[in-house]
Amino acid sequence: MLCRGVEKRFHHYEHRTTSLRELFIRVARRRPITVRRAVFTLRDFDLRVERGEGVALIGDNGCGKSTALRLIAGVYRPTAGLVETNGRLAAVIELGVGFHPELTGVENVGLYGAVMGLSRREVAARREEVEDFAELGDFMREPVKFYSSGMQARLAFAVAVVCASPEILLLDEVLAVGDAGFQHKCRERLRLLHEQGVTIITVSHDLDSLGDICRRAVWLEHGAMRMDGDLATVVDAYRAASA
């Protein structure tokens, strides 16, 4: 996985014309109809992750961690720069994303598998394992719109790590939701995937748990990379700066 010179720019709207009356007034007075300014959430982001690496993105809220993950996942297109991934990619970057709320858990497993390019036979072969891992019982036959955040986390993680069989796995605070037993189960599965050579890039504020799957950390600050190196070294530096 490679990011080279990546930038992501959003627009912050300071004023928008909201009525015909205001539109006519602004046109008559030759004022701009919409006033906006560019806001960079990521600048000059360079990151190379080798196959089988476990990398943690850390930093304060708003520093660009989740934006970086969404760029790698292909949810966002970079304003500038290059993002390259090689291999089957699965992402759990926001609860409910990728699920159709009106479909049941079982139906969403089939939908996810189809999006990942799996055949119906492949999805059917993995469905039972997904259900066993998610431990949702009869709720697998209920529409996802009735799921709690913890139930959505269970289903999202299960389809990502079991149904997709990823070579690259992206996680954004997914282990912050759910009970302690399920979190432990997820960490054990992540350790297994890591041992099998799956590349894992994760965003988490739970710095103490990162050592299970990550040996490297990237510290982002105000949309730029401040430090990249050994997990313990980077985490210690981040904590010292935040103290």
Side-chain angles (χ1 to χ4, degrees):
M1 193 287 302
L2 174 67
C3 294
R4 181 185 301 149
V6 173
E7 294 187 350
K8 183 58 182 176
R9 182 177 64 243
F10 295 96
H11 287 102
H12 172 68
Y13 290 87
E14 299 177 343
H15 175 83
R16 292 190 185 191
T17 301
T18 57
S19 67
L20 286 173
R21 179 175 180 273
E22 184 181 3
L23 173 63
F24 288 132
I25 292 173
R26 297 189 74 85
V27 169
R29 295 179 179 179
R30 296 182 179 181
R31 293 178 179 176
I33 296 172
T34 300
V35 179
R36 67 180 187 178
R37 61 184 176 87
V39 178
F40 280 92
T41 57
L42 212 61
R43 287 179 180 270
D44 300 322
F45 182 66
D46 293 309
L47 178 67
R48 178 185 291 274
V49 180
E50 302 298 335
R51 178 177 174 81
E53 268 196 286
V55 179
L57 303 181
I58 68 172
D60 294 342
N61 290 331
C63 69
K65 305 184 300 296
S66 294
T67 298
L69 215 62
R70 283 163 171 73
L71 286 164
I72 296 169
V75 176
Y76 294 158
R77 294 183 63 183
T79 304
L82 174 71
V83 178
E84 289 184 349
T85 58
N86 294 296
R88 188 193 298 273
L89 186 149
V92 187
I93 56 178
E94 188 174 338
L95 291 179
V97 170
F99 292 151
H100 193 298
E102 299 295 334
L103 299 181
T104 67
V106 171
E107 291 168 336
N108 270 291
V109 172
L111 178 63
Y112 188 94
V115 171
M116 295 299 295
L118 302 178
S119 67
R120 290 186 178 181
R121 180 175 296 179
E122 288 175 314
V123 173
R126 301 174 188 182
R127 182 177 295 134
E128 184 175 350
E129 186 180 359
V130 170
E131 293 187 33
D132 289 343
F133 192 94
E135 297 179 351
L136 292 175
D138 292 338
F139 274 99
M140 286 294 296
R141 277 72 188 170
E142 296 291 334
V144 168
K145 66 181 180 181
F146 297 127
Y147 285 18
S148 67
S149 59
M151 293 166 69
Q152 289 185 40
R154 286 172 176 265
L155 183 60
F157 194 92
V159 296
V161 302
V162 177
C163 187
S165 297
E167 296 169 278
I168 303 172
L169 180 61
L170 309 179
L171 303 170
D172 190 354
E173 298 286 4
V174 65
L175 297 183
V177 180
D179 56 68
F182 186 71
Q183 290 180 17
H184 176 74
K185 184 177 181 178
C186 290
R187 290 192 179 96
E188 289 299 317
R189 178 56 70 99
L190 290 176
R191 275 195 287 268
L192 177 61
L193 291 175
H194 189 52
E195 291 171 1
Q196 294 172 345
V198 174
T199 303
I200 301 175
I201 304 175
T202 182
V203 167
S204 178
H205 286 98
D206 185 4
L207 303 180
D208 294 326
S209 69
L210 294 174
D212 293 341
I213 54 173
C214 299
R215 297 292 178 269
R216 176 184 170 197
V218 174
W219 174 10
L220 294 177
E221 187 175 63
H222 304 305
M225 188 183 296
R226 175 163 174 177
M227 192 175 182
D228 179 359
D230 172 73
L231 176 68
T233 302
V234 176
V235 168
D236 287 346
Y238 171 66
R239 282 174 165 159
S242 302

